[in-house]
Amino acid sequence: YDPTIPNVLGQVYATDQAAFLAGYLSAGMTKTGIVGTFGGINIPPVTIFMDGFAAGGGYYNEQKGTTVQVLGWNPESREGLFTNNFESLDDGRAYAQNLYDEGADIVLPVAGPVGLGSAALADELGTEALKIVGVDADLYLTDPAKKHVYLTSIMKRMDSTVYQVTETTMKGEFEGGVIVGTLENGGVSLAPYHDMADMIPEDLKAEVEAIKQGIIDGSIKVGG
């Protein structure tokens, strides 16, 4: 059974690849040895971010012999912290506060606008105490009032994949099926570090870039 339609091209994103980089980066940047995440609803488009983030933190520990904890998601049991909505800024603040109270100084909210509540908390606490990792877009640009709280963002580059599809159409080479946005084709990526760039050690930046290349060439596996 082939569910694809000849004149339709679906676009999906291997966001766990970019989230892996964010997890590694966060593990390298935490001062407390604890980072955290929470989601909107326990569904695959949400948990794929959390899977990659946890895997990246685990890879950091493997490489460095450290014991950085990732709170809020267990990739094996598929259980974790979920607000069960994508609207409440109050929930975003409360869930980030709970993770912060447990020691996390970097938090990844995968819950759309809910994450703006987490950013507001980080703004109040100060970025020395709490940094946020954004999702979907570069939140440094889309949440300008709180832009200084974002360590980076895990981006779904819909612009990139749409451009690729448009190009094939212009060339008369359009084919239905599914296009997967990856680090390799630019469909997913980490956002620039912006204001945080000077805080991140150069060797850590280089390691993140090397891991990106490792994921692209297949020498580093993100998923099971």
Side-chain angles (χ1 to χ4, degrees):
Y1 169 67
D2 182 1
T4 58
I5 302 168
N7 64 336
V8 174
L9 181 63
Q11 299 180 66
V12 297
Y13 300 87
T15 39
D16 54 343
Q17 292 186 354
F20 188 98
L21 301 180
Y24 187 95
L25 174 71
S26 298
M29 286 297 290
T30 178
K31 299 288 195 293
T32 61
I34 302 172
V35 300
T37 184
F38 68 87
I41 299 175
N42 191 342
I43 54 175
V46 170
T47 58
I48 189 172
F49 284 92
M50 301 163 85
D51 281 339
F53 189 71
Y59 186 74
Y60 184 89
N61 286 335
E62 285 175 24
Q63 296 300 303
K64 304 290 187 179
T66 47
T67 55
V68 174
Q69 289 179 264
V70 181
L71 303 179
W73 179 239
N74 184 321
E76 282 73 44
S77 68
R78 314 305 293 167
E79 294 172 347
L81 291 177
F82 294 93
T83 60
N84 292 309
N85 72 83
F86 292 99
E87 294 87 34
S88 171
L89 269 63
D90 288 343
D91 282 352
R93 173 184 290 271
Y95 276 63
Q97 180 76 58
N98 289 343
L99 288 164
Y100 174 74
D101 289 346
E102 289 185 50
D105 60 352
I106 300 171
V107 169
L108 166 67
V110 192
V114 174
L116 301 180
S118 304
L121 175 67
D123 181 44
E124 288 174 21
L125 293 172
T127 54
E128 276 298 309
L130 182 63
K131 298 175 179 66
I132 304 297
V133 176
V135 295
D136 292 335
D138 184 349
L139 295 197
Y140 182 91
L141 303 177
T142 58
D143 186 18
K146 307 288 188 297
K147 63 184 183 181
H148 54 280
V149 307
Y150 293 102
L151 177 61
T152 185
S153 294
I154 301 160
M155 295 167 59
K156 278 198 272 194
R157 293 287 311 280
M158 296 178 190
D159 56 333
S160 173
T161 53
V162 168
Y163 185 89
Q164 291 171 47
V165 175
T166 305
E167 257 194 332
T168 61
T169 305
M170 288 174 66
K171 293 175 183 173
E173 297 169 358
F174 178 90
E175 287 183 12
V178 176
I179 181 172
V180 180
T182 62
L183 288 174
E184 184 171 17
N185 65 21
V188 298
S189 68
L190 269 196
Y193 303 131
H194 298 296
D195 295 352
M196 297 278 182
D198 291 342
M199 301 181 199
I200 302 170
E202 290 301 318
D203 58 347
L204 181 57
K205 291 178 189 171
E207 287 165 19
V208 170
E209 189 57 36
I211 291 166
K212 175 184 174 181
Q213 295 308 315
I215 293 170
I216 289 171
D217 69 28
S219 61
I220 297 173
K221 304 295 182 198
V222 172

